[in-house]
Amino acid sequence: MRVVSVSGARGSGKTTLIRKLIEHFSTTGKRSAVIVNEEGQAVYDADFVKAHGINLEYIRGG
């Protein structure tokens, strides 16, 4: 199992990178999952993730 951790400042392109990875993995038939550790209200696009058949889990205060 490979794990990719994406971190960075606001506006640095984390969501764009994750979206590109999800699209790549779904077109190549590889399985993946997304774990989101965010402070405050979650703003991640769960509909986009689920539309590509990816599991999405939120961790609060982790």
Short mmCIF file of all heavy atoms in Angstrom, two decimals:
data_model
loop_
_atom_site.label_atom_id
_atom_site.label_comp_id
_atom_site.label_asym_id
_atom_site.label_seq_id
_atom_site.Cartn_x
_atom_site.Cartn_y
_atom_site.Cartn_z
N MET A 1 0.85 -1.16 0.00
CA MET A 1 0.00 0.00 0.00
C MET A 1 0.90 1.23 0.00
O MET A 1 1.84 1.33 0.76
CB MET A 1 -0.89 0.00 1.24
CG MET A 1 -1.67 1.26 1.38
SD MET A 1 -2.56 1.55 2.93
CE MET A 1 -3.00 -0.01 3.53
N ARG A 2 0.58 2.16 -0.85
CA ARG A 2 1.29 3.43 -0.89
C ARG A 2 0.43 4.50 -0.27
O ARG A 2 -0.80 4.52 -0.46
CB ARG A 2 1.62 3.81 -2.32
CG ARG A 2 2.61 2.86 -2.93
CD ARG A 2 2.90 3.26 -4.33
NE ARG A 2 3.75 2.22 -4.91
CZ ARG A 2 4.49 2.41 -5.95
NH1 ARG A 2 4.50 3.57 -6.56
NH2 ARG A 2 5.23 1.44 -6.42
N VAL A 3 1.06 5.41 0.43
CA VAL A 3 0.34 6.51 1.07
C VAL A 3 0.94 7.82 0.57
O VAL A 3 2.16 7.98 0.54
CB VAL A 3 0.48 6.43 2.61
CG1 VAL A 3 -0.18 7.63 3.26
CG2 VAL A 3 -0.10 5.13 3.12
N VAL A 4 0.09 8.73 0.18
CA VAL A 4 0.51 10.05 -0.25
C VAL A 4 -0.09 11.06 0.71
O VAL A 4 -1.30 11.09 0.91
CB VAL A 4 0.04 10.37 -1.69
CG1 VAL A 4 0.40 11.78 -2.07
CG2 VAL A 4 0.60 9.37 -2.67
N SER A 5 0.76 11.85 1.34
CA SER A 5 0.30 12.90 2.25
C SER A 5 0.44 14.23 1.54
O SER A 5 1.50 14.56 1.01
CB SER A 5 1.15 12.88 3.52
OG SER A 5 0.78 13.94 4.37
N VAL A 6 -0.64 15.00 1.52
CA VAL A 6 -0.63 16.30 0.84
C VAL A 6 -0.87 17.37 1.90
O VAL A 6 -1.87 17.34 2.61
CB VAL A 6 -1.73 16.37 -0.24
CG1 VAL A 6 -1.73 17.74 -0.91
CG2 VAL A 6 -1.53 15.27 -1.27
N SER A 7 0.06 18.30 2.01
CA SER A 7 -0.10 19.39 2.97
C SER A 7 0.45 20.67 2.36
O SER A 7 1.18 20.64 1.37
CB SER A 7 0.64 19.07 4.28
OG SER A 7 2.03 18.97 4.04
N GLY A 8 0.08 21.79 2.94
CA GLY A 8 0.57 23.07 2.44
C GLY A 8 -0.34 24.19 2.90
O GLY A 8 -1.39 23.98 3.50
N ALA A 9 0.08 25.40 2.59
CA ALA A 9 -0.67 26.59 2.97
C ALA A 9 -1.94 26.71 2.14
O ALA A 9 -2.08 26.08 1.09
CB ALA A 9 0.20 27.83 2.77
N ARG A 10 -2.86 27.53 2.61
CA ARG A 10 -4.08 27.79 1.86
C ARG A 10 -3.73 28.37 0.50
O ARG A 10 -2.87 29.23 0.38
CB ARG A 10 -4.98 28.77 2.61
CG ARG A 10 -5.60 28.16 3.81
CD ARG A 10 -6.56 29.13 4.45
NE ARG A 10 -7.11 28.51 5.65
CZ ARG A 10 -8.11 29.00 6.32
NH1 ARG A 10 -8.66 30.13 5.93
NH2 ARG A 10 -8.55 28.38 7.38
N GLY A 11 -4.40 27.87 -0.52
CA GLY A 11 -4.18 28.38 -1.87
C GLY A 11 -2.97 27.80 -2.58
O GLY A 11 -2.60 28.26 -3.65
N SER A 12 -2.35 26.79 -1.98
CA SER A 12 -1.14 26.23 -2.58
C SER A 12 -1.42 25.15 -3.62
O SER A 12 -0.49 24.66 -4.25
CB SER A 12 -0.22 25.68 -1.50
OG SER A 12 -0.83 24.61 -0.81
N GLY A 13 -2.69 24.76 -3.80
CA GLY A 13 -3.04 23.79 -4.85
C GLY A 13 -3.26 22.38 -4.35
O GLY A 13 -3.25 21.43 -5.14
N LYS A 14 -3.48 22.19 -3.05
CA LYS A 14 -3.69 20.84 -2.50
C LYS A 14 -4.91 20.17 -3.11
O LYS A 14 -4.82 19.02 -3.55
CB LYS A 14 -3.84 20.91 -0.97
CG LYS A 14 -2.62 21.44 -0.25
CD LYS A 14 -2.88 21.53 1.24
CE LYS A 14 -4.00 22.44 1.63
NZ LYS A 14 -3.78 23.87 1.42
N THR A 15 -6.02 20.87 -3.15
CA THR A 15 -7.25 20.29 -3.67
C THR A 15 -7.10 19.98 -5.16
O THR A 15 -7.54 18.92 -5.62
CB THR A 15 -8.44 21.23 -3.44
OG1 THR A 15 -8.59 21.43 -2.03
CG2 THR A 15 -9.73 20.65 -3.99
N THR A 16 -6.47 20.84 -5.91
CA THR A 16 -6.24 20.59 -7.32
C THR A 16 -5.40 19.34 -7.52
O THR A 16 -5.72 18.49 -8.37
CB THR A 16 -5.54 21.80 -7.98
OG1 THR A 16 -6.38 22.96 -7.81
CG2 THR A 16 -5.29 21.56 -9.46
N LEU A 17 -4.34 19.20 -6.74
CA LEU A 17 -3.49 18.00 -6.84
C LEU A 17 -4.29 16.74 -6.50
O LEU A 17 -4.21 15.74 -7.22
CB LEU A 17 -2.29 18.12 -5.91
CG LEU A 17 -1.42 16.87 -5.80
CD1 LEU A 17 -0.81 16.52 -7.16
CD2 LEU A 17 -0.35 17.05 -4.75
N ILE A 18 -5.07 16.79 -5.44
CA ILE A 18 -5.85 15.62 -5.03
C ILE A 18 -6.86 15.27 -6.11
O ILE A 18 -7.05 14.09 -6.43
CB ILE A 18 -6.52 15.86 -3.67
CG1 ILE A 18 -5.44 15.92 -2.58
CG2 ILE A 18 -7.55 14.78 -3.37
CD1 ILE A 18 -5.94 16.40 -1.24
N ARG A 19 -7.51 16.27 -6.70
CA ARG A 19 -8.46 16.01 -7.79
C ARG A 19 -7.77 15.33 -8.97
O ARG A 19 -8.30 14.39 -9.56
CB ARG A 19 -9.13 17.29 -8.25
CG ARG A 19 -10.20 17.79 -7.32
CD ARG A 19 -10.73 19.12 -7.82
NE ARG A 19 -11.93 19.45 -7.11
CZ ARG A 19 -13.14 19.52 -7.68
NH1 ARG A 19 -13.28 19.28 -8.95
NH2 ARG A 19 -14.19 19.81 -6.95
N LYS A 20 -6.59 15.80 -9.33
CA LYS A 20 -5.84 15.20 -10.44
C LYS A 20 -5.45 13.76 -10.12
O LYS A 20 -5.53 12.88 -10.98
CB LYS A 20 -4.59 16.01 -10.76
CG LYS A 20 -4.86 17.40 -11.25
CD LYS A 20 -5.43 17.38 -12.64
CE LYS A 20 -5.60 18.80 -13.14
NZ LYS A 20 -6.28 18.87 -14.41
N LEU A 21 -5.03 13.50 -8.88
CA LEU A 21 -4.68 12.14 -8.48
C LEU A 21 -5.90 11.22 -8.54
O LEU A 21 -5.82 10.09 -9.02
CB LEU A 21 -4.08 12.13 -7.08
CG LEU A 21 -2.67 12.69 -6.95
CD1 LEU A 21 -2.29 12.83 -5.48
CD2 LEU A 21 -1.67 11.82 -7.70
N ILE A 22 -7.04 11.71 -8.06
CA ILE A 22 -8.27 10.91 -8.08
C ILE A 22 -8.65 10.57 -9.52
O ILE A 22 -8.98 9.43 -9.84
CB ILE A 22 -9.42 11.66 -7.37
CG1 ILE A 22 -9.18 11.68 -5.87
CG2 ILE A 22 -10.77 11.04 -7.71
CD1 ILE A 22 -10.12 12.58 -5.11
N GLU A 23 -8.60 11.55 -10.41
CA GLU A 23 -8.92 11.31 -11.81
C GLU A 23 -7.95 10.30 -12.42
O GLU A 23 -8.36 9.40 -13.15
CB GLU A 23 -8.89 12.62 -12.59
CG GLU A 23 -10.04 13.53 -12.26
CD GLU A 23 -9.91 14.91 -12.87
OE1 GLU A 23 -8.83 15.25 -13.41
OE2 GLU A 23 -10.90 15.66 -12.83
N HIS A 24 -6.68 10.43 -12.12
CA HIS A 24 -5.68 9.51 -12.65
C HIS A 24 -5.93 8.09 -12.16
O HIS A 24 -5.93 7.14 -12.95
CB HIS A 24 -4.28 9.96 -12.25
CG HIS A 24 -3.21 8.98 -12.61
ND1 HIS A 24 -2.79 8.78 -13.91
CD2 HIS A 24 -2.49 8.12 -11.85
CE1 HIS A 24 -1.87 7.85 -13.93
NE2 HIS A 24 -1.66 7.43 -12.69
N PHE A 25 -6.13 7.93 -10.85
CA PHE A 25 -6.33 6.60 -10.30
C PHE A 25 -7.61 5.96 -10.83
O PHE A 25 -7.64 4.76 -11.11
CB PHE A 25 -6.36 6.62 -8.77
CG PHE A 25 -5.01 6.87 -8.16
CD1 PHE A 25 -4.88 7.70 -7.06
CD2 PHE A 25 -3.87 6.28 -8.66
CE1 PHE A 25 -3.64 7.93 -6.49
CE2 PHE A 25 -2.63 6.50 -8.10
CZ PHE A 25 -2.51 7.32 -7.01
N SER A 26 -8.67 6.75 -10.99
CA SER A 26 -9.93 6.16 -11.47
C SER A 26 -9.82 5.74 -12.93
O SER A 26 -10.45 4.77 -13.33
CB SER A 26 -11.10 7.12 -11.25
OG SER A 26 -11.02 8.22 -12.10
N THR A 27 -9.02 6.43 -13.73
CA THR A 27 -8.89 6.05 -15.13
C THR A 27 -7.93 4.88 -15.33
O THR A 27 -8.00 4.20 -16.34
CB THR A 27 -8.41 7.23 -16.00
OG1 THR A 27 -7.16 7.70 -15.52
CG2 THR A 27 -9.42 8.35 -16.01
N THR A 28 -7.04 4.65 -14.36
CA THR A 28 -6.09 3.53 -14.48
C THR A 28 -6.56 2.30 -13.72
O THR A 28 -5.87 1.28 -13.72
CB THR A 28 -4.70 3.94 -13.97
OG1 THR A 28 -4.79 4.34 -12.59
CG2 THR A 28 -4.11 5.05 -14.80
N GLY A 29 -7.74 2.38 -13.08
CA GLY A 29 -8.30 1.22 -12.40
C GLY A 29 -7.68 0.92 -11.05
O GLY A 29 -7.89 -0.17 -10.51
N LYS A 30 -6.94 1.85 -10.49
CA LYS A 30 -6.32 1.62 -9.18
C LYS A 30 -7.26 2.07 -8.08
O LYS A 30 -8.02 3.03 -8.22
CB LYS A 30 -5.00 2.38 -9.09
CG LYS A 30 -3.99 1.85 -10.06
CD LYS A 30 -2.67 2.53 -9.90
CE LYS A 30 -1.68 1.93 -10.89
NZ LYS A 30 -0.38 2.52 -10.79
N ARG A 31 -7.22 1.35 -6.97
CA ARG A 31 -8.06 1.70 -5.82
C ARG A 31 -7.39 2.77 -4.99
O ARG A 31 -6.17 2.80 -4.86
CB ARG A 31 -8.31 0.47 -4.95
CG ARG A 31 -9.08 -0.59 -5.66
CD ARG A 31 -9.33 -1.83 -4.85
NE ARG A 31 -8.70 -1.80 -3.54
CZ ARG A 31 -8.97 -2.66 -2.58
NH1 ARG A 31 -9.83 -3.61 -2.79
NH2 ARG A 31 -8.36 -2.59 -1.42
N SER A 32 -8.20 3.65 -4.40
CA SER A 32 -7.65 4.68 -3.54
C SER A 32 -8.71 5.15 -2.55
O SER A 32 -9.88 4.80 -2.67
CB SER A 32 -7.14 5.85 -4.38
OG SER A 32 -8.17 6.38 -5.17
N ALA A 33 -8.26 5.92 -1.59
CA ALA A 33 -9.14 6.50 -0.57
C ALA A 33 -8.59 7.87 -0.21
O ALA A 33 -7.42 8.16 -0.43
CB ALA A 33 -9.20 5.62 0.66
N VAL A 34 -9.46 8.72 0.35
CA VAL A 34 -9.05 10.06 0.78
C VAL A 34 -9.41 10.21 2.24
O VAL A 34 -10.54 9.93 2.65
CB VAL A 34 -9.76 11.16 -0.06
CG1 VAL A 34 -9.42 12.54 0.48
CG2 VAL A 34 -9.38 11.04 -1.52
N ILE A 35 -8.43 10.63 3.03
CA ILE A 35 -8.65 10.93 4.44
C ILE A 35 -8.38 12.42 4.62
O ILE A 35 -7.32 12.91 4.23
CB ILE A 35 -7.72 10.12 5.36
CG1 ILE A 35 -7.95 8.63 5.16
CG2 ILE A 35 -7.92 10.52 6.82
CD1 ILE A 35 -6.94 7.76 5.86
N VAL A 36 -9.34 13.14 5.17
CA VAL A 36 -9.22 14.59 5.32
C VAL A 36 -9.12 14.92 6.80
O VAL A 36 -9.96 14.53 7.60
CB VAL A 36 -10.45 15.31 4.71
CG1 VAL A 36 -10.35 16.80 4.91
CG2 VAL A 36 -10.58 14.96 3.24
N ASN A 37 -8.06 15.64 7.17
CA ASN A 37 -7.88 16.12 8.53
C ASN A 37 -7.89 17.63 8.48
O ASN A 37 -6.89 18.26 8.15
CB ASN A 37 -6.54 15.61 9.10
CG ASN A 37 -6.32 16.07 10.53
OD1 ASN A 37 -7.22 16.57 11.18
ND2 ASN A 37 -5.11 15.89 10.99
N GLU A 38 -9.04 18.22 8.74
CA GLU A 38 -9.20 19.67 8.62
C GLU A 38 -9.68 20.26 9.93
O GLU A 38 -10.46 19.65 10.64
CB GLU A 38 -10.24 20.00 7.55
CG GLU A 38 -9.81 19.62 6.17
CD GLU A 38 -9.76 20.82 5.25
OE1 GLU A 38 -10.08 21.93 5.70
OE2 GLU A 38 -9.39 20.64 4.10
N GLU A 39 -9.23 21.45 10.21
CA GLU A 39 -9.75 22.21 11.34
C GLU A 39 -10.98 22.97 10.86
O GLU A 39 -11.02 23.44 9.73
CB GLU A 39 -8.71 23.21 11.85
CG GLU A 39 -7.52 22.55 12.51
CD GLU A 39 -7.87 21.89 13.83
OE1 GLU A 39 -8.73 22.40 14.55
OE2 GLU A 39 -7.26 20.84 14.12
N GLY A 40 -11.96 23.12 11.71
CA GLY A 40 -13.15 23.87 11.35
C GLY A 40 -14.07 23.10 10.45
O GLY A 40 -14.05 21.88 10.40
N GLN A 41 -14.87 23.83 9.69
CA GLN A 41 -15.87 23.21 8.82
C GLN A 41 -15.19 22.58 7.60
O GLN A 41 -14.35 23.19 6.95
CB GLN A 41 -16.85 24.28 8.35
CG GLN A 41 -17.97 23.73 7.51
CD GLN A 41 -18.95 24.82 7.10
OE1 GLN A 41 -18.74 25.99 7.40
NE2 GLN A 41 -19.98 24.43 6.40
N ALA A 42 -15.56 21.35 7.32
CA ALA A 42 -14.98 20.63 6.17
C ALA A 42 -15.47 21.27 4.89
O ALA A 42 -16.66 21.51 4.71
CB ALA A 42 -15.36 19.17 6.21
N VAL A 43 -14.56 21.56 3.99
CA VAL A 43 -14.92 22.19 2.72
C VAL A 43 -14.57 21.31 1.54
O VAL A 43 -14.64 21.73 0.40
CB VAL A 43 -14.23 23.57 2.57
CG1 VAL A 43 -14.74 24.53 3.61
CG2 VAL A 43 -12.72 23.43 2.66
N TYR A 44 -14.16 20.09 1.80
CA TYR A 44 -13.74 19.21 0.72
C TYR A 44 -14.93 18.78 -0.12
O TYR A 44 -16.02 18.58 0.38
CB TYR A 44 -13.00 17.99 1.27
CG TYR A 44 -12.06 17.44 0.25
CD1 TYR A 44 -10.82 18.01 0.06
CD2 TYR A 44 -12.45 16.42 -0.59
CE1 TYR A 44 -9.98 17.55 -0.92
CE2 TYR A 44 -11.61 15.95 -1.58
CZ TYR A 44 -10.38 16.53 -1.73
OH TYR A 44 -9.56 16.08 -2.71
N ASP A 45 -14.74 18.62 -1.40
CA ASP A 45 -15.81 18.29 -2.34
C ASP A 45 -16.12 16.80 -2.30
O ASP A 45 -15.62 16.04 -3.12
CB ASP A 45 -15.40 18.74 -3.73
CG ASP A 45 -16.54 18.65 -4.73
OD1 ASP A 45 -17.62 18.12 -4.37
OD2 ASP A 45 -16.36 19.09 -5.86
N ALA A 46 -16.94 16.40 -1.35
CA ALA A 46 -17.27 14.98 -1.18
C ALA A 46 -17.98 14.41 -2.39
O ALA A 46 -17.77 13.25 -2.75
CB ALA A 46 -18.13 14.80 0.07
N ASP A 47 -18.81 15.20 -3.05
CA ASP A 47 -19.53 14.72 -4.24
C ASP A 47 -18.55 14.35 -5.35
O ASP A 47 -18.73 13.34 -6.03
CB ASP A 47 -20.52 15.76 -4.75
CG ASP A 47 -21.67 15.98 -3.79
OD1 ASP A 47 -21.97 15.05 -3.02
OD2 ASP A 47 -22.25 17.07 -3.81
N PHE A 48 -17.51 15.15 -5.55
CA PHE A 48 -16.50 14.86 -6.57
C PHE A 48 -15.80 13.55 -6.26
O PHE A 48 -15.62 12.70 -7.12
CB PHE A 48 -15.48 16.00 -6.66
CG PHE A 48 -14.34 15.70 -7.59
CD1 PHE A 48 -14.49 15.90 -8.95
CD2 PHE A 48 -13.14 15.20 -7.12
CE1 PHE A 48 -13.45 15.61 -9.82
CE2 PHE A 48 -12.09 14.92 -7.97
CZ PHE A 48 -12.25 15.13 -9.34
N VAL A 49 -15.40 13.38 -5.00
CA VAL A 49 -14.68 12.18 -4.58
C VAL A 49 -15.56 10.95 -4.77
O VAL A 49 -15.14 9.95 -5.36
CB VAL A 49 -14.21 12.30 -3.12
CG1 VAL A 49 -13.61 11.01 -2.63
CG2 VAL A 49 -13.21 13.44 -2.98
N LYS A 50 -16.79 11.00 -4.30
CA LYS A 50 -17.70 9.85 -4.39
C LYS A 50 -18.07 9.54 -5.84
O LYS A 50 -18.28 8.39 -6.19
CB LYS A 50 -18.93 10.10 -3.55
CG LYS A 50 -18.62 10.07 -2.07
CD LYS A 50 -19.83 10.36 -1.22
CE LYS A 50 -19.44 10.36 0.25
NZ LYS A 50 -20.56 10.73 1.11
N ALA A 51 -18.14 10.56 -6.70
CA ALA A 51 -18.46 10.35 -8.11
C ALA A 51 -17.39 9.51 -8.80
O ALA A 51 -17.67 8.84 -9.79
CB ALA A 51 -18.62 11.69 -8.83
N HIS A 52 -16.19 9.51 -8.26
CA HIS A 52 -15.10 8.72 -8.82
C HIS A 52 -14.92 7.40 -8.08
O HIS A 52 -13.93 6.70 -8.26
CB HIS A 52 -13.80 9.52 -8.81
CG HIS A 52 -13.75 10.55 -9.88
ND1 HIS A 52 -14.35 11.79 -9.74
CD2 HIS A 52 -13.22 10.53 -11.12
CE1 HIS A 52 -14.16 12.48 -10.84
NE2 HIS A 52 -13.48 11.74 -11.70
N GLY A 53 -15.88 7.05 -7.21
CA GLY A 53 -15.84 5.77 -6.52
C GLY A 53 -14.78 5.69 -5.43
O GLY A 53 -14.31 4.61 -5.11
N ILE A 54 -14.41 6.83 -4.86
CA ILE A 54 -13.37 6.88 -3.85
C ILE A 54 -14.01 6.99 -2.47
O ILE A 54 -14.97 7.73 -2.28
CB ILE A 54 -12.45 8.11 -4.07
CG1 ILE A 54 -11.93 8.16 -5.50
CG2 ILE A 54 -11.33 8.16 -3.06
CD1 ILE A 54 -11.04 7.03 -5.89
N ASN A 55 -13.48 6.25 -1.51
CA ASN A 55 -13.94 6.37 -0.13
C ASN A 55 -13.38 7.65 0.47
O ASN A 55 -12.23 8.00 0.24
CB ASN A 55 -13.47 5.18 0.70
CG ASN A 55 -14.11 3.90 0.26
OD1 ASN A 55 -15.27 3.87 -0.15
ND2 ASN A 55 -13.36 2.82 0.32
N LEU A 56 -14.19 8.35 1.27
CA LEU A 56 -13.78 9.60 1.89
C LEU A 56 -14.06 9.52 3.38
O LEU A 56 -15.17 9.19 3.79
CB LEU A 56 -14.55 10.77 1.28
CG LEU A 56 -14.31 12.15 1.89
CD1 LEU A 56 -12.87 12.60 1.62
CD2 LEU A 56 -15.28 13.16 1.33
N GLU A 57 -13.06 9.78 4.19
CA GLU A 57 -13.20 9.79 5.64
C GLU A 57 -12.66 11.11 6.19
O GLU A 57 -11.64 11.61 5.73
CB GLU A 57 -12.44 8.64 6.28
CG GLU A 57 -12.98 7.28 5.96
CD GLU A 57 -14.36 7.02 6.53
OE1 GLU A 57 -14.68 7.58 7.60
OE2 GLU A 57 -15.12 6.27 5.90
N TYR A 58 -13.35 11.65 7.18
CA TYR A 58 -12.91 12.88 7.86
C TYR A 58 -12.37 12.52 9.24
O TYR A 58 -12.94 11.69 9.94
CB TYR A 58 -14.08 13.86 8.04
CG TYR A 58 -14.53 14.49 6.75
CD1 TYR A 58 -15.61 13.99 6.06
CD2 TYR A 58 -13.88 15.61 6.25
CE1 TYR A 58 -16.03 14.58 4.88
CE2 TYR A 58 -14.29 16.21 5.08
CZ TYR A 58 -15.37 15.69 4.40
OH TYR A 58 -15.78 16.27 3.24
N ILE A 59 -11.27 13.13 9.62
CA ILE A 59 -10.72 13.00 10.96
C ILE A 59 -10.72 14.39 11.58
O ILE A 59 -10.08 15.31 11.05
CB ILE A 59 -9.28 12.45 10.94
CG1 ILE A 59 -9.25 11.07 10.32
CG2 ILE A 59 -8.68 12.44 12.34
CD1 ILE A 59 -7.85 10.51 10.14
N ARG A 60 -11.41 14.56 12.66
CA ARG A 60 -11.49 15.87 13.32
C ARG A 60 -10.48 15.92 14.46
O ARG A 60 -10.37 14.99 15.25
CB ARG A 60 -12.88 16.10 13.89
CG ARG A 60 -13.96 16.04 12.85
CD ARG A 60 -14.05 17.36 12.16
NE ARG A 60 -15.21 17.33 11.26
CZ ARG A 60 -15.34 18.11 10.25
NH1 ARG A 60 -14.43 19.00 9.99
NH2 ARG A 60 -16.38 18.03 9.47
N GLY A 61 -9.74 17.00 14.53
CA GLY A 61 -8.81 17.21 15.64
C GLY A 61 -7.67 16.21 15.69
O GLY A 61 -7.10 15.96 16.74
N GLY A 62 -7.33 15.62 14.54
CA GLY A 62 -6.29 14.61 14.50
C GLY A 62 -4.98 15.23 14.26
O GLY A 62 -3.93 14.78 14.22
#
